[in-house]
Amino acid sequence: MSEHGTTHDEVSRAATGTLPQRFDDPGLPPHVPRQADHDESAAKRAERQVAVMFGLSIVSTVAFLVAYFAVDQRSTVFFPGIGSTNAYHLVLGVTLALSLLMIGLGAVHWAKTLMPDHEVVEERHPLRSSDEDREHAVATILDGGDAAQLPRRNMIKYSLGGALGLFSLPLVLQVAGSLGPTNVSELAETLWDIPTEGKHAGKPIRLMRDPQNTPIKAEEVAIGSVFHVLPESLDWHKEENVEAGRAEWKGVLDEKAKAAVILVRLDPKDFVSTKARDWGYQGIVAYSKICTHVGCPVGLYEQKTHNLLCPCHQSTFDVTRDCEVVFGPAKRALPQLKITVDADGYLVAPEGFKEPVGPSYWER
Amino acid sequence: MSTAAAPRGAAPRGAAALRTDDPAVRPEPTGTVKKLGGLAGWVDDRTGVAKGAGHMLKKVFPDHWSFMLGEIAMYSMIICLLTGVFLTFWFVPSMGEVPYDGSYIPLQGVQMSEAYKTTLDISFDIRGGLLIRQIHHWAALMFVVAVMVHMFRVFFTGAFRKPREINWVIGTVLSLLSIVEGFAGYSLPDDLLSGTGIRAAEGFMQSIPIVGSYVAYFLFGGPFPGEAIIPRFYTAHVLIIPAILIGLFTAHLLLVMVHKHTQYPGPGRTNSNVVGFPLMPVYMAKAGGFFFIVFGAIALVSALFTINPIWAYGPYDPSPVTAGSQPDWYMLFADGGLRLLPGWLEIPIFKWTLSLNVAIGALLLIPVMYTLIGIYPFLEAWVTGDKREHHLLDRPRNAPVRTALGAAFIAEYFVLAMAGVNDILAIKFHLAINSITRALQLLFFVLPVIVFWVTKRLCLSLQRADRNLVLHGRETGNIYRSADGEFTEIHEPLDPYRRWTLVQHEVGTPLALGSTKDANGVESPLSKKARRRARWSQFYFRDSVAPVTPAELAAAHHHGEHDALPSAESATHVGPSEH
């Protein structure tokens, strides 16, 4: 080949129409030596560079060990671009990083400058076994089966099949049967349901501020304001826990996850849905805070549009229209909690939700 | 450590000489073996490992930056395993409620789960604990991203073709497991953000038709949140999934060894060889060193940038929520799918509820996506009818339809991921969340089509550019002015090495569309199938651009000679830049 890339041969063969269909592989290009391959001082320099990097790693490791004991765990330091940060964490992290990085960079530099860079060619071999080997393998399996008399011992064959088919059932049953419980009907119950027995039986349940846990007077709720609410019965639940000798907090989050309610006050004229207004008290309405999509708390209220927004997937509910979905992936309106005031002027719920709260499920 | 090469010991003397039939008990070690010390010999005496080890250490790997993506994934996983073990020493996966008494003042006295409390302890009271936690989280993020980018490399270069289909499927499962493992992991601290994620996950389970509420009750051990889910996630996160990950990853590596690594096309690189550097010493140093580089880089990022500051979120409580609730990045596409699905997909059937608005995004999206990824090699092999082994990679431009399909997939993934941050986009760009969501719903259907078309055209253009380069050579920037005033740019022909890379590939030819009738003129289901396949084959290969042949090059040179330089001895060939 000439350095032009095309031999005169090729050109003349083209003229006579004898050129091959494809180009020929020219083979590996000639090796280009590196500086360190022929210049001993360059090689020495590379060696020094590698040694410096490994040395820096040692220094960083020692620095980590010292810092672990010497630096105060609570001290902060200003780091440009990041701001005030924990000095202990920063020093440990940076020294560890340098101790590791310098080993890696040193090794790679060593490989690139001093280790052989002649490319090596290794041949591939077809992956498939030879036909004899394949036949031999099949024969071995078949002969083995024959030797065990598998083809003619039908009783063994079928009983073994049955045994192997069934043996996993106890294991599956143990797990599946014990994962329970199966009382999924409690998905439809919340702490807003009026107790039918016990010392609080038949009593309307007060709406309590979350997290202050104080009752709310109707006149404290200004138009446009929003309250996060939990039922007074959450306290009763804790009392029952203590009386029954359970941990006070047992099941509290489970109940909260269904009972959380959001309370807003609108000008009664703003309601489009009369049901929404009628279930409220002087424009104060309470809705389940658990999104009907997948159950995140619908925590954001936009005063101007009277919309409630779920921050997880942006389902938007219009309070004036009984919390119908106006945007987003949810389908159902948020369930409304009927409220009124008790003799002391506190907001109460005289009855529980009329439908299950939270995400949809098949039998709801 | 090659003891197998050691010669037999010297002739026995004295009493031992009487029993010359006995095999030599202790062959004299040669110089090299002595140097490695007795240990290697001791091991080889008991394992015979030397032969295999010698072979392994000479194994050749080709060099390319894109081959390091899988390495990054492997090393990130090892870093996760290492730091994860550290974390288990202090983390208590319990949802029992305890008051906080640690040194982080804003939360002192607050009721929280023990899982959250011990995560705070790791962050504030265990020396260096925060660093380990941060390395664990950053390495996990790095793991998932490296797996994904590694998959892109394998896909776009066609490395999944025979004989590597099994390894592609294993890799697909590894990728799926990596995001499940990540989700289980970031749920463990039981903070407000991750708890909200678990809350949504429970909602997903409830959307399973007929048995949803039971599945949720089984997995959560009762109502949400209960006290079982964190311990169960913990078992999955530290035991079940890592065990499967390690098993599959080992198989993945073994198959790489068995198949020998693929290589990019180039001079001297054929389908039946591997050109590169031996494991010992070059890749020992390079790959071993690269582990430290990955580890060091992750440690540096962990030192400088906080990830998942759980102390700022507070303990999980079902009532409060923060605006901007996003999962870790690799779950954004699934979350985005949920945000785009319209509510009317929830269908009441008599007194029951079928929540397709949730189920499609939460239960179907990931399995369907990963199934499509997993079976792609088989689909492509069926369409192309190619049953040969492929060890030489495709340059992505030379497989325009595959490259365009991959780009369309990325576009779709991107749309979903953007939907997962639609609220952040709304805030940052002062746009209405409704219009962003509507636009993304539209883009979900439109963008992949556009991206497919654009990418395919780009690939074809790049192939034509390659042809031009081969035919007319490199533009030197030197302008020649002829005697009659015409200006010509001097083109320098490619050297054969560079040219080979541009002309080595083969081009598939589309199958011809046969008749739907068989020889007797009867409608044949078989030929219908063949026609369907032919149609797909057309789709794949219709617009192929063939590489330059020697005849074409010679013709181009001949053509160029009309306006060749006066000096025939010039070291450059001259040709018009365009035909």
Side-chain angles (χ1 to χ4, degrees):
Chain A
M1 293 255 165
S2 74
E3 56 188 346
H4 299 208
T6 320
T7 58
H8 290 290
D9 246 18
E10 273 180 28
V11 177
S12 60
R13 268 195 291 163
T16 55
T18 56
L19 276 182
Q21 273 304 296
R22 295 178 58 80
F23 283 95
D24 294 325
D25 186 349
L28 282 182
H31 177 245
V32 183
R34 296 161 297 185
Q35 214 181 357
D37 288 337
H38 47 67
D39 180 359
E40 185 50 30
S41 67
K44 276 267 182 234
R45 193 165 59 240
E47 184 189 357
R48 274 198 305 277
Q49 287 162 345
V50 173
V52 165
M53 287 192 238
F54 289 160
L56 282 175
S57 168
I58 297 173
V59 172
S60 302
T61 306
V62 173
F64 180 101
L65 299 179
V66 173
Y68 183 87
F69 296 105
V71 178
D72 175 23
Q73 247 185 298
R74 313 256 169 276
S75 60
T76 53
V77 67
F78 180 81
F79 193 88
I82 289 169
S84 182
T85 185
N86 180 284
Y88 187 70
H89 172 71
L90 185 75
V91 172
L92 289 194
V94 171
T95 51
L96 177 67
L98 286 177
S99 133
L100 296 161
L101 273 174
M102 286 303 156
I103 295 178
L105 293 173
V108 171
H109 192 57
W110 179 15
K112 287 196 154 204
T113 51
L114 296 170
M115 290 186 189
D117 77 331
H118 280 273
E119 287 191 307
V120 180
V121 180
E122 193 178 295
E123 291 304 314
R124 290 179 192 275
H125 311 287
L127 281 165
R128 83 189 287 281
S129 317
S130 67
D131 286 339
E132 301 89 85
D133 286 345
R134 286 185 174 193
E135 277 159 27
H136 180 70
V138 172
T140 308
I141 294 168
L142 294 180
D143 292 350
D146 283 341
Q149 305 180 5
L150 200 59
R152 54 199 185 86
R153 299 287 176 205
N154 278 338
M155 277 171 70
I156 291 184
K157 203 155 64 184
Y158 295 133
S159 58
L160 176 64
L164 287 180
L166 293 174
F167 91 97
S168 57
L169 284 184
L171 302 176
V172 171
L173 179 65
Q174 194 283 317
V175 177
S178 310
L179 275 176
T182 54
N183 51 334
V184 295
S185 60
E186 60 178 39
L187 281 173
E189 298 159 9
T190 71
L191 282 185
W192 294 104
D193 300 329
I194 309 297
T196 49
E197 52 191 41
K199 57 183 168 187
H200 306 292
K203 209 169 128 191
I205 295 166
R206 277 185 180 167
L207 280 69
M208 311 291 270
R209 285 183 186 85
D210 177 25
Q212 296 87 345
N213 200 26
T214 49
I216 307 163
K217 280 205 159 133
E219 62 262 30
E220 292 167 352
V221 186
I223 288 184
S225 67
V226 53
F227 284 67
H228 298 271
V229 169
L230 289 170
E232 184 190 9
S233 45
L234 203 59
D235 286 339
W236 309 341
H237 176 86
K238 287 185 196 169
E239 284 163 19
E240 278 169 33
N241 274 345
V242 174
E243 283 162 20
R246 290 189 294 260
E248 186 192 347
W249 283 80
K250 188 92 186 162
V252 167
L253 291 189
D254 303 1
E255 295 301 342
K256 260 192 181 180
K258 288 188 292 187
V261 155
I262 195 154
L263 185 83
V264 291
R265 183 166 198 168
L266 272 60
D267 186 329
K269 291 198 299 285
D270 287 338
F271 283 100
V272 178
S273 158
T274 47
K275 175 249 174 186
R277 194 187 54 212
D278 295 348
W279 281 28
Y281 177 79
Q282 295 179 354
I284 307 173
V285 286
Y287 283 90
S288 164
K289 205 166 98 178
I290 310 303
C291 188
T292 56
H293 180 227
V294 291
C296 294
V298 184
L300 307 177
Y301 178 61
E302 198 180 36
Q303 217 183 69
K304 219 162 59 183
T305 57
H306 312 300
N307 280 352
L308 284 167
L309 179 86
C310 176
C312 283
H313 304 99
Q314 284 76 48
S315 292
T316 313
F317 304 86
D318 186 347
V319 179
T320 65
R321 294 172 192 276
D322 198 18
C323 277
E324 263 176 29
V325 180
V326 289
F327 188 77
K331 164 81 175 288
R332 291 177 298 109
L334 293 171
Q336 189 176 8
L337 183 70
K338 210 173 196 175
I339 54 168
T340 179
V341 287
D342 63 11
D344 302 326
Y346 290 112
L347 290 170
V348 292
E351 53 188 301
F353 286 105
K354 288 278 201 293
E355 56 178 312
V357 301
S360 299
Y361 54 98
W362 180 255
E363 66 274 23
R364 63 172 297 280
Chain B
M1 44 191 250
S2 169
T3 52
R8 286 286 155 126
R13 286 179 306 253
L18 295 173
R19 298 166 61 190
T20 44
D21 312 340
D22 284 0
V25 181
R26 259 194 92 110
E28 275 307 296
T30 59
T32 22
V33 177
K34 258 187 191 158
K35 246 186 249 165
L36 267 174
L39 183 65
W42 188 91
V43 172
D44 187 60
D45 281 347
R46 283 149 188 84
T47 58
V49 79
K51 189 159 172 277
H55 182 74
M56 267 299 302
L57 291 173
K58 278 191 297 193
K59 219 166 161 49
V60 170
F61 288 90
D63 219 20
H64 194 270
W65 65 266
S66 70
F67 298 159
M68 299 200 300
L69 296 166
E71 261 182 87
I72 298 178
M74 171 169 79
Y75 295 149
S76 315
M77 193 184 87
I78 294 170
I79 296 165
C80 279
L81 289 170
L82 188 69
T83 49
V85 170
F86 283 28
L87 293 176
T88 61
F89 295 152
W90 298 286
F91 178 70
V92 180
S94 160
M95 295 174 91
E97 294 274 325
V98 288
Y100 180 64
D101 57 358
S103 63
Y104 184 60
I105 293 162
L107 287 176
Q108 273 169 2
V110 174
Q111 281 287 331
M112 55 182 63
S113 70
E114 216 178 343
Y116 185 68
K117 180 190 174 294
T118 49
T119 313
L120 288 176
D121 289 345
I122 289 171
S123 305
F124 293 108
D125 295 297
I126 309 290
R127 280 178 173 264
L130 180 61
L131 181 62
I132 297 296
R133 222 197 97 218
Q134 297 283 289
I135 293 178
H136 192 70
H137 201 125
W138 276 116
L141 293 176
M142 181 68 97
F143 176 50
V144 185
V145 78
V147 167
M148 196 172 281
V149 181
H150 171 62
M151 281 179 95
F152 288 153
R153 196 282 292 171
V154 170
F155 180 85
F156 286 117
T157 59
F160 54 78
R161 289 172 296 174
K162 189 183 173 185
R164 295 181 178 77
E165 305 97 322
I166 303 174
N167 232 11
W168 171 261
V169 174
I170 292 177
T172 306
V173 178
L174 280 170
S175 163
L176 173 60
L177 285 177
S178 74
I179 64 172
V180 177
E181 176 73 342
F183 177 78
Y186 80 66
S187 294
L188 288 180
D190 202 21
D191 55 284
L192 184 57
L193 184 61
S194 74
T196 304
I198 301 180
R199 164 74 265 191
E202 201 258 1
F204 304 162
M205 289 171 204
Q206 289 197 21
S207 76
I208 302 171
I210 304 173
V211 295
S213 51
Y214 291 90
V215 171
Y217 259 55
F218 275 32
L219 291 178
F220 282 77
F224 172 83
E227 293 187 0
I229 195 67
I230 296 284
R232 286 176 186 174
F233 269 175
Y234 185 70
T235 307
H237 182 74
V238 308
L239 183 71
I240 304 172
I241 303 175
I244 305 173
L245 271 177
I246 293 170
L248 288 178
F249 147 81
T250 309
H252 199 68
L253 277 193
L254 282 177
L255 279 175
V256 171
M257 296 284 170
V258 169
H259 293 141
K260 299 195 170 125
H261 209 287
T262 51
Q263 58 189 348
Y264 281 93
R269 287 148 167 81
T270 71
N271 203 36
S272 58
N273 71 8
V274 196
V275 181
F277 301 106
L279 184 58
M280 186 77 196
V282 177
Y283 277 104
M284 279 291 190
K286 274 192 177 177
F290 194 50
F291 168 75
F292 287 96
I293 292 176
V294 172
F295 201 167
I298 290 174
L300 195 61
V301 171
S302 306
L304 299 179
F305 304 101
T306 306
I307 185 86
N308 202 20
I310 48 119
W311 53 87
Y313 307 146
Y316 180 63
D317 183 324
S319 177
V321 69
T322 49
S325 287
Q326 258 75 29
D328 266 5
W329 75 268
Y330 45 84
M331 282 293 177
L332 283 179
F333 79 101
D335 203 47
L338 282 173
R339 293 176 190 214
L340 292 188
L341 282 160
W344 53 260
L345 284 169
E346 179 171 307
I347 303 157
I349 304 172
F350 302 112
K351 58 175 190 155
W352 298 296
T353 309
L354 180 64
S355 298
L356 290 178
N357 56 338
V358 179
I360 292 176
L363 305 172
L364 288 180
L365 175 66
I366 290 180
V368 167
M369 182 179 118
Y370 274 93
T371 308
L372 284 177
I373 295 172
I375 63 172
Y376 182 80
F378 306 99
L379 294 179
E380 193 187 291
W382 177 77
V383 170
T384 59
D386 189 349
K387 300 212 165 21
R388 295 168 302 169
E389 283 190 12
H390 289 279
H391 302 291
L392 214 48
L393 297 172
D394 276 331
R395 299 171 74 223
R397 67 184 62 175
N398 290 339
V401 172
R402 180 204 294 146
T403 304
L405 284 174
F409 170 85
I410 293 177
E412 193 77 299
Y413 187 93
F414 178 74
V415 169
L416 289 175
M418 283 299 106
V421 291
N422 59 358
D423 49 335
I424 309 280
L425 293 177
I427 292 165
K428 294 279 178 208
F429 295 105
H430 302 285
L431 293 166
I433 186 114
N434 305 28
S435 22
I436 293 178
T437 308
R438 290 271 177 258
L440 288 170
Q441 282 172 333
L442 180 69
L443 283 175
F444 179 85
F445 294 102
V446 175
L447 192 67
V449 179
I450 297 174
V451 167
F452 176 88
W453 187 81
V454 169
T455 312
K456 189 177 163 195
R457 295 334 289 183
L458 274 177
C459 287
L460 295 173
S461 296
L462 285 168
Q463 281 185 284
R464 292 198 189 98
D466 282 352
R467 278 182 60 88
N468 258 338
L469 191 59
V470 173
L471 287 173
H472 308 301
R474 185 178 70 86
E475 293 173 0
T476 57
N478 295 334
I479 309 292
Y480 166 77
R481 187 181 168 194
S482 70
D484 45 3
E486 188 192 356
F487 287 93
T488 322
E489 185 175 6
I490 297 173
H491 286 236
E492 185 186 359
L494 297 184
D495 67 75
Y497 300 112
R498 218 185 135 200
R499 186 180 66 204
W500 174 248
T501 310
L502 304 182
V503 299
Q504 48 74 35
H505 60 286
E506 289 172 11
V507 170
T509 39
L511 299 172
L513 281 170
S515 153
T516 53
K517 308 242 163 72
D518 65 13
N520 299 321
V522 181
E523 199 76 16
S524 148
L526 254 180
S527 69
K528 245 187 198 161
K529 205 174 153 195
R531 275 177 67 88
R532 196 160 61 229
R533 183 169 170 183
R535 224 168 272 131
W536 279 107
S537 168
Q538 297 265 348
F539 168 72
Y540 249 79
F541 294 128
R542 193 167 43 208
D543 303 317
S544 302
V545 177
V548 175
T549 64
E552 283 173 321
L553 181 62
H557 283 179
H558 187 70
H559 179 83
E561 263 156 32
H562 291 299
D563 10 63
L565 287 175
S567 147
E569 303 310 310
S570 161
T572 51
H573 264 278
V574 181
S577 53
E578 288 295 335
H579 269 286

